[in-house]
Amino acid sequence: MDTRERLIQSTRELLWERGYTGTSPKAIQERSGAGQGSMYHHFHGKPDLALAAIGRSAEELRDRAEAAFAGPGTVVERVAAYLRRERDALKGCPVGRLTQDHAVMADPDLRRPIEETFAWLTDRLAGLLARGRASGELDAGLDPVATATALVAVLQGGYVLARAAGSADVYAQAVEGALGLLTLRKENA
Amino acid sequence: MDTRERLIQSTRELLWERGYTGTSPKAIQERSGAGQGSMYHHFHGKPDLALAAIGRSAEELRDRAEAAFAGPGTVVERVAAYLRRERDALKGCPVGRLTQDHAVMADPDLRRPIEETFAWLTDRLAGLLARGRASGELDAGLDPVATATALVAVLQGGYVLARAAGSADVYAQAVEGALGLLTLRKENA
DNA sequence: GTCTATACCTGGATAGAC
DNA sequence: GTCTATCCAGGTATAGAC
């Protein structure tokens, strides 16, 4: 991995662990093993480097989600596969966590990839749910967009609760609670 | 309001808006109108003041939730009242937002009120759902604890999505999606 | 209780040598 | 491309006067 790439990866890790405000250029340099001059040679500054790192994390989130959504099985099975996918619940979402950082939200460039990522995710999931509804797999009264938004929110909120409790189990509880609501109806039919 | 109280209230606002790491003693002093010496007379430092502020916010969250839970109506109505309560979705949760702050989570004193708040909230809601299940208002197959966790997660995640989208409507969508899942079954019965 | 002075460290970045 | 030197603002706190 070359220096530029190490800088991006180190920044991704730090943004995930400490957020944008909590991440200093110095910390990035130390973790990546790059020197001061090196970092400022490859990037214009902290915002520029953060933009590259956020873009990379957003891309990865999208790819991983798409892999579950496009996988085999019924709609409910694919949604469940996505929700139950192995995650480091205590670390939280590398993209969602940045919405809590004032400096990120105040910078349109940094903010855009975050906005787009969640718009894509909710939309993709809503489409899947709509198909499940059309095929009769899901209740006809189910609102695809609202339900998709709620499911994504369960993930993001599950991270919050897991961190608050200091336990990844809480995240799993939230996911199972949501899946229970989504599927109970079917079992009782 | 005396100086000590103004310091606490200003800190609450700043923690809400910028997080712990993003809030400086200087900013607190400016917002509260208290001087440097005054702040360090009333509090030992930033962590001490933050502890007072977080405790206050946690207390308020709890009181407001209890007001909805203990209100009139069926279990579903009370849960809906809580979820739909007016909130400033774009600002997020003053307590939940702190789980994303590394410095807060690393300090056991600051972390405790956050952990306790969500443990209480989930527990209180689970008890309510259990009663709804016992009375037949809710499906017998519903898991009260998992469902309560999912509902609280929808709120916390709804804030994340609203901030990402820059629109409070997304928060409302998440809430309605969750309530839809909770109640659709009944309508179809 | 509040003020000002002072202190030291870190954040974030530029300049110019190599 | 990378290194070291340097810079100035801000973060966080203490000391001592009023």
Side-chain angles (χ1 to χ4, degrees):
Chain A
M1 200 161 43
D2 65 9
T3 299
R4 188 188 154 84
E5 189 61 23
R6 287 207 320 277
L7 281 163
I8 293 176
Q9 296 305 334
S10 297
T11 303
R12 287 183 60 192
E13 292 171 17
L14 285 163
L15 288 180
W16 197 358
E17 295 166 17
R18 334 265 307 209
Y20 181 81
T21 301
T23 295
S24 68
K26 185 176 190 174
I28 293 170
Q29 290 151 206
E30 277 163 4
R31 184 165 305 204
S32 66
Q36 180 100 330
S38 199
M39 175 184 142
Y40 283 100
H41 169 74
H42 290 289
F43 297 94
H44 291 147
K46 178 173 157 175
D48 185 33
L49 179 43
L51 182 59
I54 294 172
R56 210 61 88 67
S57 293
E59 193 185 336
E60 191 176 301
L61 185 155
R62 198 178 150 134
D63 288 350
R64 291 160 84 92
E66 183 57 33
F69 293 152
T74 62
V75 164
V76 169
E77 281 166 357
R78 282 182 277 165
V79 169
Y82 172 65
L83 292 178
R84 291 194 177 123
R85 200 188 73 206
E86 191 179 10
R87 296 162 196 264
D88 194 337
L90 289 177
K91 290 194 72 179
C93 173
V95 180
R97 106 93 91 189
L98 298 171
T99 60
Q100 304 304 314
D101 203 305
H102 184 269
V104 171
M105 299 315 275
D107 181 333
D109 291 335
L110 295 180
R111 194 204 153 124
R112 185 168 307 112
I114 298 169
E115 178 167 0
E116 289 175 355
T117 297
F118 284 112
W120 173 84
L121 182 60
T122 308
D123 207 57
R124 184 75 177 81
L125 188 51
L128 210 56
L129 294 173
R131 277 200 280 148
R133 187 182 61 171
S135 74
E137 188 188 341
L138 290 169
D139 195 293
L142 178 143
D143 178 335
V145 172
T147 307
T149 306
L151 290 176
V152 175
V154 166
L155 291 191
Q156 295 297 316
Y159 289 131
V160 169
L161 298 187
R163 285 176 66 88
S167 159
D169 294 350
V170 176
Y171 174 89
Q173 281 272 320
V175 165
E176 294 310 319
L179 284 174
L181 290 176
L182 190 66
T183 60
L184 250 188
R185 202 172 310 121
K186 206 172 60 175
E187 293 165 12
N188 289 347
Chain B
M1 200 163 42
D2 65 9
T3 299
R4 189 188 153 85
E5 190 61 23
R6 286 205 321 276
L7 281 164
I8 293 176
Q9 297 304 334
S10 298
T11 302
R12 287 182 61 192
E13 294 172 15
L14 284 163
L15 289 180
W16 197 359
E17 295 166 17
R18 332 267 309 209
Y20 181 80
T21 301
T23 295
S24 68
K26 186 175 190 175
I28 294 169
Q29 289 151 207
E30 278 163 4
R31 183 164 306 204
S32 66
Q36 180 100 330
S38 199
M39 175 185 141
Y40 284 100
H41 169 76
H42 290 288
F43 298 94
H44 292 149
K46 178 173 156 174
D48 185 33
L49 179 44
L51 182 59
I54 293 172
R56 211 58 89 69
S57 293
E59 193 185 337
E60 191 177 300
L61 185 154
R62 199 179 150 133
D63 288 350
R64 291 161 82 94
E66 183 57 32
F69 292 153
T74 63
V75 165
V76 169
E77 282 167 357
R78 282 182 277 165
V79 169
Y82 172 65
L83 293 177
R84 292 193 176 123
R85 197 187 76 206
E86 191 178 10
R87 296 163 196 264
D88 195 338
L90 289 177
K91 289 194 72 179
C93 174
V95 180
R97 106 93 88 191
L98 299 171
T99 60
Q100 303 306 312
D101 204 305
H102 184 269
V104 171
M105 299 315 276
D107 182 332
D109 291 334
L110 295 181
R111 195 204 154 124
R112 184 169 308 112
I114 298 169
E115 177 167 1
E116 289 175 356
T117 297
F118 285 111
W120 172 84
L121 182 59
T122 308
D123 208 57
R124 184 74 176 82
L125 187 52
L128 210 55
L129 293 173
R131 277 200 280 146
R133 188 181 61 170
S135 74
E137 187 188 343
L138 291 169
D139 194 293
L142 177 144
D143 179 334
V145 172
T147 306
T149 306
L151 290 177
V152 175
V154 165
L155 291 191
Q156 295 297 315
Y159 289 132
V160 169
L161 300 187
R163 286 175 67 88
S167 158
D169 294 351
V170 176
Y171 174 90
Q173 280 273 321
V175 165
E176 294 311 318
L179 284 173
L181 290 176
L182 190 67
T183 59
L184 251 188
R185 200 175 308 120
K186 204 174 60 175
E187 293 168 9
N188 288 348

